[in-house]
Structures are given as structure tokens and as C-alpha cells.
């Protein structure tokens, strides 16, 4: 795996420190709430797993799967729900946990969809915010790191389903994805 990596963008220690800080902020902000974390599969799972262990509150975890890029690195703009929540979120405090916001299309679709179910509140927590790639403005309440417009892998993020298990965020060599 290492020979495909051009450089490490965010080292493991930096991610762990930031995730801990986010968890502490969420703990502070959601006192007395009926908190449901909605993790977007598959990219969000590593972030979610670390984040929940820094949230010192009662909470539920739910998953949603949506269609993604496939093996391409360019946003298709096509978003489809492949797996839906198992619980009713009406009147509850929903926090979406995402790996990365790129164009914003995926999050816009998910947010609009969840809003129709009338949660008491809806916020977004993303590990990475690819700011220069944004096409759709959406408010992000909790952001781990802002990154430039580069394709990254690791810590849940994949290229063609690979590299999710890297403990850091890395930039792939361009020849890997052509
Ligand atoms: P958006 O709809 O353009 O915001 O794309 C969001 C989704 O695209 C994320 O949930 C990721 O699955 C995927 N994605 C966007 N940028 C990257 C990247 O740099 N590496 C891996 N996946 C990415
Ligand atoms: Mg994703």
C-alpha cells in the first residue's frame, strides 16, 4: 500500500487529537439531547468509531448507505439511498457523521431527505472539508480539517474500495488513479 502513497496529509496523531476535541465539543453542545448519530457508509465508519468514544453522552448510532463515485474520483452528482435508517428520527437531535464534504451534493441530498422526517435538530460533523471543491453551500457545524482539492485516502476514505484501513490521511500518487 505504501508505495502508492505520494505523501501523508494528516498524520495519525493529529487526527486522534482533533477527533477527541470534536467529541468533547459535541458532548458539551448536546447535554440533555436525544442524540442520534447518522453515519454515512462506508467512508464514515472509522471516524464514527473513534468519535463515539469521545462523546460522553447517551446516544444512538444509525447508518445510511448512498451510492458513491464507484472507482472514479469525479463526482457524478447522482445520489441514491441504498440503505436507510432503522429508526424514526422525528423530534430527535440528529448529527450526520461524514468522512468528507467535496462538492456538497451528497450531504445536500441527505440533509434534505432527513429534514422531511422532522428531526428536532439536524447538524453535520465531517472529518474533512475539501473547501475549494464546494459547489453547494451547506452549513457544517463540526469540521475536523479543511483540506485542499486533492484526492485523499485512509481513515475510512477509499479509492476503488482500497486504503480505508490506513490510520492516517494520505494523497495517492496520480499514476494510481490515472
Ligand atoms: P460530494 O457529494 O462531492 O460532496 O462527495 C462526497 C463523497 O465523495 C464522500 O462521502 C466520499 O465518499 C467521496 N469523496 C470525495 N472526495 C474524496 C476523496 O478525496 N477521497 C475519497 N473519497 C472522496
Ligand atoms: Mg463518503
Amino acid at each position: 500500500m505504501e508505495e502508492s502513497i505520494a505523501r501523508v496529509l494528516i498524520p495519525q496523531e493529529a487526527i486522534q487529537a482533533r477527533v477527541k476535541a470534536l467529541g468533547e465539543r459535541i458532548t458539551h453542545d448536546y447535554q440533555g439531547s436525544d442524540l442520534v448519530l447518522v453515519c454515512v457508509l462506508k467512508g464514515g465508519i472509522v471516524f464514527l468509531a473513534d468519535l463515539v468514544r469521545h462523546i460522553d453522552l447517551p446516544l444512538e448510532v444509525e447508518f445510511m448507505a448512498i451510492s458513491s463515485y464507484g472507482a472514479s474520483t469525479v463526482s457524478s452528482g447522482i445520489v441514491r439511498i441504498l440503505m436507510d435508517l432503522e429508526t424514526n428520527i422525528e423530534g430527535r437531535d440528529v448529527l450526520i457523521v461524514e468522512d468528507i464534504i467535496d462538492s456538497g451534493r451528497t450531504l445536500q441530498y441527505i440533509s434534505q431527505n432527513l429534514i422531511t422526517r422532522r428531526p428536532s435538530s439536524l447538524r453535520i460533523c465531517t472529518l474533512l472539508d475539501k473547501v475549494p471543491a464546494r459547489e453547494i453551500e451547506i452549513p457544517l457545524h463540526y469540521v475536523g480539517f479543511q483540506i485542499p482539492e486533492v484526492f485523499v485516502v485512509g481513515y475510512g476514505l477509499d479509492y476503488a474500495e482500497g486504503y480505508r484501513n490506513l490510520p492516517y490521511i494520505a494523497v495517492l500518487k496520480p499514476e494510481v488513479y490515472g
Side-chain angles (χ1 to χ4, degrees):
M1 253 187 330
E2 272 71 19
E3 60 276 8
S4 316
I5 287 158
R7 64 195 167 95
V8 174
L9 188 65
I10 310 171
Q12 187 172 2
E13 301 70 32
I15 298 173
Q16 293 305 328
R18 190 73 188 115
V19 173
K20 181 170 186 283
L22 286 173
E24 287 167 357
R25 261 186 57 206
I26 292 166
T27 302
H28 172 267
D29 293 352
Y30 283 88
Q31 294 291 322
S33 301
D34 183 8
L35 181 58
V36 183
L37 299 186
V38 172
C39 175
V40 184
L41 295 175
K42 302 172 189 170
I45 57 160
V46 178
F47 178 38
L48 174 87
D50 282 345
L51 183 67
V52 287
R53 284 175 281 182
H54 292 291
I55 303 176
D56 187 14
L57 291 173
L59 59 82
E60 276 184 35
V61 172
E62 284 285 326
F63 295 95
M64 226 173 157
I66 43 130
S67 61
S68 62
Y69 294 176
S72 165
T73 59
V74 183
S75 180
S76 62
I78 299 161
V79 180
R80 201 158 49 93
I81 294 180
L82 304 176
M83 189 187 103
D84 207 348
L85 309 181
E86 288 181 346
T87 195
N88 186 353
I89 56 166
E90 184 169 355
R92 309 184 72 189
D93 297 296
V94 174
L95 182 60
I96 299 172
V97 178
E98 251 286 34
D99 51 357
I100 187 166
I101 316 294
D102 187 6
S103 70
R105 289 178 207 277
T106 308
L107 246 293
Q108 169 173 267
Y109 180 87
I110 294 173
S111 300
Q112 285 178 349
N113 182 287
L114 294 183
I115 281 287
T116 66
R117 309 181 198 193
R118 295 148 49 94
S120 168
S121 68
L122 180 68
R123 287 181 172 181
I124 295 163
C125 177
T126 185
L127 180 71
L128 304 177
D129 180 8
K130 208 186 272 187
V131 182
R134 189 65 31 76
E135 291 168 21
I136 290 157
E137 267 329 302
I138 27 171
L140 303 177
H141 293 90
Y142 305 97
V143 175
F145 301 91
Q146 296 187 332
I147 65 164
E149 195 163 6
V150 288
F151 193 80
V152 292
V153 294
Y155 199 72
L157 290 129
D158 74 304
Y159 170 65
E161 296 301 323
Y163 308 98
R164 293 194 198 274
N165 54 324
L166 292 175
Y168 47 82
I169 302 283
V171 180
L172 281 186
K173 289 180 180 164
E175 58 262 35
V176 177
Y177 54 89

